[in-house]
Amino acid sequence: MTMTDTKEKLVFIYAMDGGALNKITYFFKQGISPSKIECPLYGLTHSASGMKPEVLDFMKRFGVPYEILYQDEFVRKYEGFEIFGKFKMADAGFPAVYIIVGDERDERGIYELVRPKYFQKCESLSCFGKVLKRKYAQFHELGPDEFQAQNNKAAPEIEADEESEKKQKIEKAHEKIMEMEKRMEED
């Protein structure tokens, strides 16, 4: 069975604990003072009104089943995965995106797809989406073991994504200014 035939699920983990009281606190912090949110993944995916619609749209288009958990929920749900391979709960960092490969009947594997360091540098949903797509493709191109070895290296491509995004914004602003100047000349 190839990896493309294997059942997969992405697991997004916030660097925050769950529970009703905590979730209410995060919701109000996001509405009142978003800069007080300690978890960059939560900040990217939520607004004062809850999960951003563009996040849900992105995940629907991405086409891979997913779940979103708080770190304590992740630990409770997946700590048994340690017996299936190289994953060690003690090594898990948050926020992160993990990929779970296999199903209930097969031996399953869990792999860190997007490491916490990526969230330190990705300040936009666009950047995060590019990183997620690239990491998912690399996981399939390299296979789990080689991917994990590569994933433990530095993350210079994030800076390139952010720089590219800034250049695109500057170019769009420049185009708008040129259009305005042209219209002013015509008047």
Side-chain angles (χ1 to χ4, degrees), residues 57-181:
D57 291 342
F58 172 81
M59 291 311 301
K60 186 177 182 179
R61 285 191 319 272
F62 199 71
V64 177
Y66 69 95
E67 69 180 322
I68 299 171
L69 299 171
Y70 292 84
Q71 64 188 20
D72 60 326
E73 297 168 339
F74 174 75
V75 169
R76 280 194 306 275
K77 187 169 183 176
Y78 291 105
E79 64 187 343
F81 273 64
E82 293 176 324
I83 63 173
F84 289 123
K86 299 174 182 166
F87 173 74
K88 301 287 183 241
M89 189 59 74
D91 296 336
F94 307 109
V97 179
Y98 285 82
I99 185 168
I100 304 204
V101 180
D103 62 28
E104 299 298 324
R105 285 165 270 145
D106 293 335
E107 183 175 300
R108 297 178 288 178
I110 185 167
Y111 306 94
E112 190 175 47
L113 197 62
V114 181
R115 300 173 58 83
K117 66 184 174 190
Y118 287 91
F119 296 100
Q120 311 286 317
K121 297 185 179 209
C122 251
E123 297 177 1
S124 70
L125 196 53
S126 172
C127 175
F128 173 68
K130 290 175 186 175
V131 169
L132 181 62
K133 287 176 185 176
R134 183 172 39 252
K135 290 296 183 181
Y136 184 77
Q138 286 173 350
F139 181 82
H140 285 279
E141 288 169 16
L142 299 173
D145 293 334
E146 181 62 26
F147 175 80
Q148 284 303 146
Q150 294 288 325
N151 202 29
N152 288 330
K153 295 180 180 174
E157 69 267 15
I158 292 173
E159 292 166 3
D161 281 346
E162 287 289 321
E163 194 63 35
S164 172
E165 205 170 296
K166 287 177 187 174
K167 285 181 183 176
Q168 287 176 353
K169 286 180 182 178
I170 291 169
E171 287 172 8
K172 284 182 182 179
H174 181 68
E175 287 174 13
K176 285 183 181 181
I177 291 170
M178 297 297 284
E179 287 175 21
M180 288 173 58
E181 287 178 351

Side-chain angles (χ1 to χ4, degrees), residues 27-46:
F27 177 78
F28 283 110
K29 274 187 181 179
Q30 185 68 20
I32 296 169
S33 182
S35 63
K36 298 280 186 198
I37 298 292
E38 299 86 17
C39 175
L41 176 57
Y42 189 89
L44 283 173
T45 60
H46 283 73

